[in-house]
Amino acid sequence: MIHLNENFTKLKASYLFSDIAKQVTAFTQANPDKPVIRLGIGDVTEPLPPVCIAALHAATDEMAHRATFKGYGPEQGYAFLREAIAQNDYAARQCPIEADEIFVSDGAKCDCGNIQEIFSLDTRLAIPDPVYPVYIDTNVMAGRTGPSVDGRYQGVTYLDSTPANGYVPAIPSVATDLIYLCFPNNPTGAVATKAQLAEWVAYAKKNQAILLYDSAYEAYIRDPQIPHSIYEIPGARDVAIEFRSFSKTAGFTGTRCAYTVVPKSLQAFDAAGKAHSVHALWNRRHTTKFNGVAYPIQKAAAAIFTPEGKQQVKDMTDFYLGNAALIRAAVAKLGFSCVGGDNAPYIWVNTGRDSWEFFDMLLTKAQVVCTPGAGFGKCGEGHVRISAFNSRANVETALARIAAALK
Ligand code: MLT
């Protein structure tokens, strides 16, 4: 008889965004005359930057000729892309990261979800609440937690992000081994200062722990004091892995390209206390389970590092931040407090009401989709997340409808 991995039965029946999509589909089927505006899942709406389109066309033409055709590429990514990332995202910010410490992949979601495989099952986890569900769900699947009791998996140290701490969690008072951090934060849009990140680096050093730093939204940072990378903190390359994505930076949610930085100085220990290179282990996993991102997609990704590409990315992220500013202003006018939206494409609204009820009210009365905060964890209750990813016209219409629904 085939037995299943019973850890999967500890999970909620479906993934947060699948749940929401089902509810929205049911509403639109029942109300075909009421067009819905989606400010829920953070999916981009604007076309790829022109430099990416040109690079895609040129690379596709290369694939049409024997002399320039490409089959399997290096699993870790082509050197042209890894070097462009190392130069522009790291050297330019004085971060000591080499091109061969960068692993190109088809998504930060997959990498954030897969990275836990290389750590032992008794790894002590520290996970923010609210949180991007992938971090916790993949650890539940692996069997690194107990069952969920009262909305929290047993055995996990939760890092509460609340109005009281400005949605930036404090360092835990207990030792943990693997700590998930995300700044600018999904879902709250909160950012961390260099001083705050330096405390996490010191904590990780003290506990021989590893920080998993998700900076998928760094392109939205406008405050020059806010770090874009964990490697801007001295010593971080000895204790941190960083996840980045072209999805929200350059509109690649459907195109798929991301990367993970695993410094060669990062170590994890076996049961006997012997140190092993995490870079070597991730490389082993990556080459076994992944065959690289398509060549034309990597060419399109590399194009964002050209001078025109940088300007086009800035224009695109400025555009979404313009939406975010409108959302923040409208939310404030309605009397709600909120964070995010200034250095992030998400606005985290403190509604003070049941978050699924608020979601339902916005869907049925305003035909606007948001994300209920409780879907991101217990501390998300009483909040909703509004995404700035949509056209200007849709954002303006959505805000007018929300204001009318809440009158
Ligand atoms: C979100 O809405 O939280 C993101 O789009 C999810 C993701 O990037 O996978």
Side-chain angles (χ1 to χ4, degrees), residues 87-138:
Q87 182 53 45
N88 292 281
D89 283 347
Y90 294 107
R93 292 191 186 277
Q94 286 77 50
C95 298
I97 295 298
E98 301 298 327
D100 62 359
E101 296 177 312
I102 294 163
F103 293 82
V104 175
S105 77
D106 62 350
K109 178 180 186 176
C110 322
D111 288 352
C112 289
N114 290 328
I115 195 79
Q116 47 76 28
E117 274 183 30
I118 61 173
F119 301 109
S120 79
L121 282 184
D122 59 5
T123 296
R124 295 166 299 179
L125 302 170
I127 296 199
D129 178 359
V131 71
Y132 179 43
V134 173
Y135 311 157
I136 181 75
D137 286 3
T138 52

Side-chain angles (χ1 to χ4, degrees), residues 15 17 40-43 109 132 186 217 248 346 376 385:
Y15 181 62
F17 292 108
I41 192 165
D43 194 5
K109 178 180 186 176
Y132 179 43
N186 179 12
Y217 298 92
K248 314 298 158 78
Y346 297 127
F376 297 105
R385 189 191 77 177

Side-chain angles (χ1 to χ4, degrees), residues 190-243:
V191 289
T193 63
K194 278 192 181 160
Q196 285 166 328
L197 292 185
E199 282 184 41
W200 282 108
V201 168
Y203 170 85
K205 279 211 161 142
K206 181 173 148 215
N207 292 295
Q208 293 186 297
I210 288 182
L211 304 175
L212 298 178
Y213 193 76
D214 182 350
S215 59
Y217 298 92
E218 63 77 33
Y220 290 84
I221 295 173
R222 291 294 179 272
D223 180 341
Q225 299 305 316
I226 297 296
H228 289 239
S229 165
I230 188 73
Y231 304 118
E232 289 178 52
I233 310 303
R237 60 168 283 117
D238 301 331
V239 292
I241 291 172
E242 181 160 288
F243 304 94

Side-chain angles (χ1 to χ4, degrees), residues 341-359:
D342 39 7
N343 292 291
Y346 297 127
I347 296 93
W348 187 241
V349 186
N350 189 347
T351 65
R353 304 190 204 168
D354 179 277
S355 68
W356 278 101
E357 262 175 45
F358 198 86
F359 162 84

